[in-house]
Amino acid sequence: AERQRLTEESLDETFGLAVLAGDSIGHLRDESNLAACLDCVGRHLTADGVFLIDAPIPELRLLAADPATLFPWASYEGADGDRVEIGFACEYDASAQILTMKTIRSCADGSSEAIGDFRLRMWFPRELEAVIGHCGYEIVERFGNYRGGPIGPRTARQILVCRPAHCHSIVPGGLLERS
């Protein structure tokens, strides 16, 4: 299967809905990659189409964690019947807003091994909204969970329903002129 990037997809059709789900937005590690993704999606939306972005709200406890702290993630029964625990440790680069999560498997016999790591950009709510707006989208709805609840101080998700605002030009002072 050919692997496509979120910033480069080119299809010969348009859609009424595009979705960026889970923590996928974290793989867009800077504003230029997010802008390229928004541009790409915009080319594939119908005139009244919407783009749904589902992103985590960064957890300050993970960003501030000691890299030696292991957080539980999942567990399962191994082939020998013993419990296997999967955990992760976090290291946060505040200047780049990149959270590196190192995944570790721990077995009942006390052994453990690193099984991988991944790096995700942490997009804070107001920052994400500003970049989306700067890229010519308007946010139609904001939710803090999958049931349509509001974003608040204890919500873990930011779910944004966006649509292109059909901006024509940037006028002096940085304000967008809308059609």
Side-chain angles (χ1 to χ4, degrees), residues 29 31 92-98 121:
R29 295 192 188 136
E31 291 81 0
Y92 183 60
D93 176 350
S95 65
Q97 291 180 225
I98 302 292
R121 167 69 184 260

Side-chain angles (χ1 to χ4, degrees), residues 55-74:
I57 293 178
E59 290 185 58
L60 296 181
R61 71 182 180 94
L62 299 180
L63 306 184
D66 180 335
T69 301
L70 189 63
F71 293 93
W73 192 3

Side-chain angles (χ1 to χ4, degrees), residues 84-85 104-113:
V84 178
E85 303 290 332
I104 299 165
R105 177 177 27 230
S106 302
C107 299
D109 66 5
S111 65
S112 64
E113 65 176 318

Side-chain angles (χ1 to χ4, degrees), residues 124-136 139:
F124 289 86
R126 294 294 178 217
E127 171 194 31
L128 181 57
E129 292 173 9
V131 173
I132 289 168
H134 180 76
C135 291
I139 297 170

Side-chain angles (χ1 to χ4, degrees), residues 11-18 41-50:
L11 303 171
D12 292 329
E13 60 184 306
T14 57
F15 304 91
L17 173 67
V41 168
R43 289 191 313 270
H44 293 92
L45 285 177
T46 58
D48 60 346
V50 295

